[in-house]
Amino acid sequence: MVHLGNYIGAIKNWVALQDLYETFFFIVDLHAITLPYDAPELSKATRSTAAIYLACGIDSSKASIFVQSHVRAHIELMWLLSSSTPIGWLNKMIQFKEKSRKAGNENVGVALLTYPVLMASDILLYQSDLVPVGEDQTQHLELTREISERVNNLYGGRKWKKLGGRGGSLFKVPEALIPPAGARVMSLTDGLSKMSKSAPSDLSRINLLDPKDVIVNKIKRCKTDSLPGLEFDNPERPECKNLLSVYQIITGKTKEEVVSECQDMNWGTFKATLTDALIDHLQPIQVRYEEIMSDPGYLDSILLDGAGKASEIADATLNNVYQAMGFLRR
């Protein structure tokens, strides 16, 4: 379920990026199986996520949108990269340490350790210059950079040329594109924790498809404090900063405008104002989502076209890597 944090922290920025760059947006169904999941729900969730991307403004005439598993080069390149990725690099990944500790070793699959290599494959296949990432993903992007440099050194340049290739680098070394400051949305029940799909309580997040009554209830029950007035910059009031920031972003107002409007409000008044703003902002997305989901043929055609465009680029990269690593040509 895509939530407000995903939308503000990522998807909203993607919509702007598609006007500036050649962009690839894909639904990472292969990453989704790194932890236990409900198999019958996977395809439904994949379609739903694709529809949400489109409803939020991703435009298939400007960007390629597709399903990760529909471009088989992702898995093939992951295996090739795995042969050159030291296990010690993966053991350092913070998210693996945290998730494996919570789940226990007996319940953790190998994929939870190796999915950063799949993430590297996702990026390197498309000779990416820039990767939009949040602060919690910079370590994974740094791993991608290290893997690309290692494979370039092991198999690129003159070594590749001797095998009939063009020589030079097999991969571009990508850079991070960090979203604007203040775009991180925190939990509604804890202003110090990021809004998350995996948090046990649904009250901690606003899902993009939440109906009006659910949004009203979640904002009414979200954590606040007992101090008078509202302010952005008091470190002792993380929930206050978070809710004001959400209001600022979804209304498109400046920080100064929000301060002027809201600084003397009590929590009851502000929560009602925030609720109305959220409902007004999300309603067009929800309406468009329902339109897309009611026309399966339209959605399928977009995903098929996106996978076709992506495969042309991905297969060219993959074939170069196979050649440089010495495989017999198919």
Side-chain angles (χ1 to χ4, degrees):
M1 186 67 73
V2 178
H3 58 67
L4 190 67
N6 303 136
Y7 172 66
I8 290 176
I11 300 174
K12 204 166 182 290
N13 293 319
W14 298 349
V15 173
L17 292 177
Q18 67 185 347
D19 291 321
L20 301 173
Y21 305 101
E22 180 184 8
T23 48
F24 297 84
F25 303 111
F26 49 97
I27 295 83
V28 287
D29 55 344
L30 294 170
H31 286 290
I33 67 169
T34 54
L35 292 172
Y37 70 100
D38 183 1
E41 288 297 315
L42 180 60
S43 62
K44 294 178 186 177
T46 300
R47 294 181 65 84
S48 176
T49 303
I52 285 177
Y53 285 3
L54 293 169
C56 288
I58 298 299
D59 186 342
S60 60
S61 70
K62 300 176 181 178
S64 297
I65 176 169
F66 58 98
V67 177
Q68 183 186 29
S69 64
H70 292 182
V71 179
R72 296 188 177 182
H74 286 257
I75 288 294
E76 291 188 51
L77 182 60
M78 178 204 177
W79 183 250
L80 299 179
L81 297 179
S82 295
S83 71
S84 300
T85 304
I87 191 72
W89 288 6
L90 300 180
N91 284 328
K92 295 176 184 177
M93 294 292 104
I94 294 170
Q95 290 200 9
F96 171 72
K97 292 179 180 178
E98 292 176 348
K99 290 181 180 178
S100 61
R101 186 169 57 246
K102 288 178 183 176
N105 287 336
E106 292 300 315
N107 298 315
V108 172
V110 173
L112 187 62
L113 176 65
T114 59
Y115 86 87
V117 185
L118 177 57
M119 190 179 290
S121 171
D122 297 336
I123 295 166
L124 298 177
L125 273 175
Y126 301 100
Q127 301 298 340
S128 308
D129 296 294
L130 297 169
V131 185
V133 291
E135 293 174 3
D136 59 339
Q137 291 294 337
T138 53
Q139 187 185 38
H140 285 144
L141 182 59
E142 191 54 40
L143 177 69
T144 297
R145 289 169 53 83
E146 290 173 348
I147 291 173
S148 66
E149 290 172 342
R150 184 179 178 89
V151 173
N152 282 339
N153 289 332
L154 285 173
Y155 301 108
R158 292 180 179 177
K159 298 173 187 175
W160 181 20
K161 201 163 188 177
K162 286 180 180 178
L163 293 173
R166 71 165 191 268
S169 295
L170 287 159
F171 303 118
K172 286 185 178 180
V173 180
E175 300 286 344
L177 184 63
I178 305 295
R184 198 176 192 193
V185 180
M186 312 307 282
S187 166
L188 297 180
T189 55
D190 176 8
L192 296 175
S193 299
K194 193 173 74 165
M195 188 174 285
S196 170
K197 298 173 188 175
S198 58
S201 174
D202 194 54
L203 291 172
S204 68
R205 56 189 168 264
I206 299 289
N207 301 306
L208 256 61
L209 301 180
D210 278 345
K212 293 179 182 179
D213 60 327
V214 173
I215 294 174
V216 169
N217 183 53
K218 287 180 176 180
I219 296 299
K220 190 175 289 185
R221 297 179 63 179
C222 73
K223 183 180 179 183
T224 54
D225 54 46
S226 57
L227 297 175
L230 303 178
E231 53 189 333
F232 271 100
D233 300 320
N234 186 340
E236 302 297 319
R237 306 183 71 185
E239 289 78 20
C240 187
K241 177 184 178 181
N242 182 47
L243 296 177
L244 286 172
S245 297
V246 168
Y247 181 67
Q248 177 192 342
I249 292 167
I250 62 171
T251 58
K253 296 180 179 180
T254 65
K255 184 176 178 180
E256 292 73 22
E257 288 171 335
V258 172
V259 169
S260 176
E261 178 187 358
C262 304
Q263 63 183 345
D264 296 323
M265 285 184 180
N266 59 39
W267 278 116
T269 303
F270 177 69
K271 283 186 175 183
T273 301
L274 175 59
T275 299
D276 289 343
L278 280 168
I279 291 171
D280 287 346
H281 191 87
L282 295 181
Q283 185 179 21
I285 294 173
Q286 294 175 353
V287 170
R288 179 62 182 143
Y289 170 83
E290 293 298 337
E291 291 174 352
I292 294 167
M293 290 297 286
S294 69
D295 189 351
Y298 169 74
L299 182 57
D300 288 345
S301 67
I302 285 178
L303 295 177
L304 180 64
D305 184 58
K309 291 177 182 175
S311 292
E312 287 182 16
I313 298 172
D315 288 347
T317 298
L318 182 64
N319 288 337
N320 285 340
V321 177
Y322 273 129
Q323 181 186 43
M325 291 181 69
F327 284 83
L328 181 67
R329 186 179 293 275
R330 299 182 189 184

